[in-house]
Every structure is written in structure tokens, then in C-alpha cells.
Amino acid sequence: MKSRQVSIVTPTARERFSTARPMLLLIAITVIALMGSVVLSQMGYNNEPVGIRNRHGNGARALAQVLGNHGVSVREVNADQAATVDDDTTLVVIFPSRMRDSVAKAIETRANVVYVGLEEQYDSSSPYLGGLRAQRDWESPRVVTAGCQSEIATRAASLTSSAYTITGSAHGWELCFSTTRDAYGYAEKIEDGRFRAIIPDSLRLRNRAITDEGNAALAINAIGRTPKVAWYSPTEKDTLGRDQDLGTEAPFLAPAFLLTIGACLIAAVARGRRLGPLTPENLPIEVPASETIIGKARLMRSQRAYEHAATALRSASASRIATAVGVAHTADRETLTHAIEQRGLLTSRSTTLLWGPPPTSEKELVRLAHDLDALEKEIRQ
């Protein structure tokens, strides 16, 4: 029995990468999906103090959700929107000391306004305080009761005293939750159909303290009096009559855009094909020549590589003709043409078949193959 020599071919780095590509793509897709889930889970939230989109301890998301569950819609607004809210909307102003005078005057014309957070302006008497004065009390915290005629304060029943209070005695104001030194934790006024309320300590609305004592009841009853709530967090740059970005328009666009780009890149790597000339490679096993030829032919046919196939046919035919006419395989075009002419064949015909323009269709390629075969038979005969 004739022995057969078997050669072992070690895969190259490129072949190893090609084999591992599906697994690498799966890992890449998994990583991008995890990153996307993290980004999308944070979509629409921020870290703004006493903000309705802040889920952390300093935010007011819990209060906004409770109001929403009770049928009160809560939305963020800018200075222009805050100055034009309708009568069935309660405007909540966070840290009102940051407002410009023009914005503060426009807001004062609204029907329902609740000012929250006087931490930044204690010992001051801003116009929107209506004659009252912000004060900072350094006494130890203790539980205080409403002690006033306000229905909102009565429902809250009791609060933990705060360092930030209001003081004074102005006409029309109902002062509640009194501590020592004539300091109060809440004030409200209803005059000429307009409702005003002051919650000097913003901690009462924040997530980490909303459940302490009567904080939740006070905030819900003071803010949820109307079916709609406009939440305004002013800045010193806010002015009327100028477009302002709230940062809330379509917050999902940025992460969605990044995810789309990532998906396109993965699809491009997965479906991309390197176009270029066919290159031979060592096969790990012995394959019959007929199968290799058929495989290459099918590959060229699927890619419509008529020019490449025609070049292979002409090269092989020219090599066989050179052997038949007695010239070297490496002979140039003129030598081979001269040898064919000496056989009594038309030079123009052989030149067109061996070096003419490439075919542009499968039909032309088949015709070229038949004509080359006929030329070889004529030369051999």
C-alpha cells in the first residue's frame, strides 16, 4: 500500500482571529448592551438640588411622584414659562434669592406661588417675602406644632424645627410652627384671590427628609392645591424674553445616538467583507483538485468576477499554446504572437482572444472559453 505524506499546517494569527470573530462580536455586543442599559437607566435624571428629576437625597423626585399619583402634573419651567403660568397652576420657586428683579416682579403677578429655600438669604427681606424677613436660628432642633389657623399647616400637625425660619409681622400673613425668638417654619397668605406660601427650609421637600414629621403633608398640601405644578429653579443668568434650555427636551437622544453608532459599527464588522485578489493558502487536509476548481469557480461566479476568471483562462491557454509552438512559458507577447503567425493563423484573432478586452457578462466569458479552446486545437493540429 502506497504511503501518503501528511503535512500539518499551523493556523496563522489571522486565521485564529477569523475563527474567534463570532465570539468577539458576541462579547462586544454584550458589553455595549450593558453600557447602554446603564446609560438608559439614568436617562432623564440629574443631580440638581431640590429638583424633580433628582432621585438622590438632595432631590425632590419623591414629592413629584406622590403629587403625580394624586393626579397633579408636575413639570419643570424656565423664567419665561414661570412668568406666564395660568391660574390653575401652582408655581414652585426653589431658592428664590437667585432670581433677577425682573423675573421676581413678573412671578409676583401669578395667582399661586410657593417659595422654597431661604438658606442663601437669611437676615434679608426681599420684596417677595411681603414684609417678612428671613432668619437663621441656631437653637437645637425640636418638634413644634402648627399653632395657627392655616388649614395646610393644621394637616401637617407638627414639624422638626429648622435653622432656617422667617420672622416679622406683616399684614395678611399666617405664621405657623413657631419656635423661640419669634421665628416660624411656614407662612402663607391668601389675598385678592392670590395664594402665597413660604417654606424657608428646602430640606422639608428633599427626598432624605420628606418623611420626617409633617414635611410630606405640608409640601403636598401647599403645592398640590391646583391640578398643575410648575417647578422653577432660577439662576442668576435667567432673563425674560430669551430662549432658555431646561436640558429636558428629549434626554434620551444622546444615549440613543451613541447606541445607534455602536450598533452600526458592530454590524459593519460582522457583515463587512474584505475585497481583494484571491490568494492561495495551505489546506489542513488533502482536497481533490476538481473540488477546489469548482469551489473557486462558484466563488468567482457569485462575485461576478468575469475579468478575474478571463485572466486565469487566458493565462492558462497562453501557457499551453507556448508549449505547443515551442517557445518558453516566460516568452513575451511579441514572441508568442510571432510563433502563432508562423503556424498560419490570423494574428488579429489570437491577439483578441489572448489579450483582448475582458468580458462583462457570463455569456461573454463562456464564449471566450470556447474560442480559446478552439484556438488551442487549431494550433495543435
Side-chain angles (χ1 to χ4, degrees), residues 13 22 41 70 73 122 148 164 168 181-182 198 206 266 278 303 308 319 332 341:
S41 65
H70 285 77
S73 65
Y122 55 87
C148 62
Y164 304 101
R181 301 180 185 176
D182 194 30
I198 301 175
R206 304 194 188 208
I266 291 177
L278 298 176
Q303 300 297 322
H308 185 83
S319 179
D332 57 13
E341 185 178 0

Side-chain angles (χ1 to χ4, degrees), residues 96 99-109 115 127-128 232 240:
M99 292 188 299
R100 290 192 174 187
D101 291 340
S102 59
V103 179
K105 291 178 180 179
I107 286 177
E108 268 301 303
T109 63
Y115 296 102
Y128 55 81
Y232 175 46
L240 297 177

Side-chain angles (χ1 to χ4, degrees), residues 29-156:
I29 292 174
T30 303
V31 171
I32 291 180
L34 292 176
M35 293 176 62
S37 63
V38 172
V39 172
L40 291 176
S41 65
Q42 300 295 327
M43 182 182 65
Y45 299 107
N46 58 27
N47 294 322
E48 183 178 353
V50 204
I52 60 175
R53 294 190 291 124
N54 186 347
R55 301 181 300 177
H56 304 292
N58 284 332
R61 174 121 183 117
L63 174 60
Q65 288 184 316
V66 172
L67 290 172
N69 293 337
H70 285 77
V72 179
S73 65
V74 185
R75 62 186 177 96
E76 290 181 326
V77 295
N78 56 32
D80 288 326
Q81 295 169 333
T84 57
V85 295
D86 48 28
D87 292 347
D88 62 347
T89 300
T90 297
L91 177 63
V92 179
V93 182
I94 306 298
F95 303 127
S97 62
R98 301 177 182 178
M99 292 188 299
R100 290 192 174 187
D101 291 340
S102 59
V103 179
K105 291 178 180 179
I107 286 177
E108 268 301 303
T109 63
R110 300 302 91 198
N112 302 281
V113 184
V114 177
Y115 296 102
V116 178
L118 305 182
E119 293 96 323
E120 301 177 357
Q121 58 172 8
Y122 55 87
D123 294 334
S124 68
S125 54
S126 301
Y128 55 81
L129 294 180
L132 300 178
R133 182 168 148 270
Q135 176 177 291
R136 189 167 186 175
D137 191 355
W138 297 98
E139 291 189 359
S140 301
R142 59 190 180 86
V143 177
V144 294
T145 57
C148 62
Q149 300 299 319
S150 168
E151 183 179 354
I152 294 174
T154 302
R155 290 179 179 177

Side-chain angles (χ1 to χ4, degrees), residues 255-267:
F257 180 70
L258 294 177
L259 288 178
T260 302
I261 292 178
C264 291
L265 291 177
I266 291 177

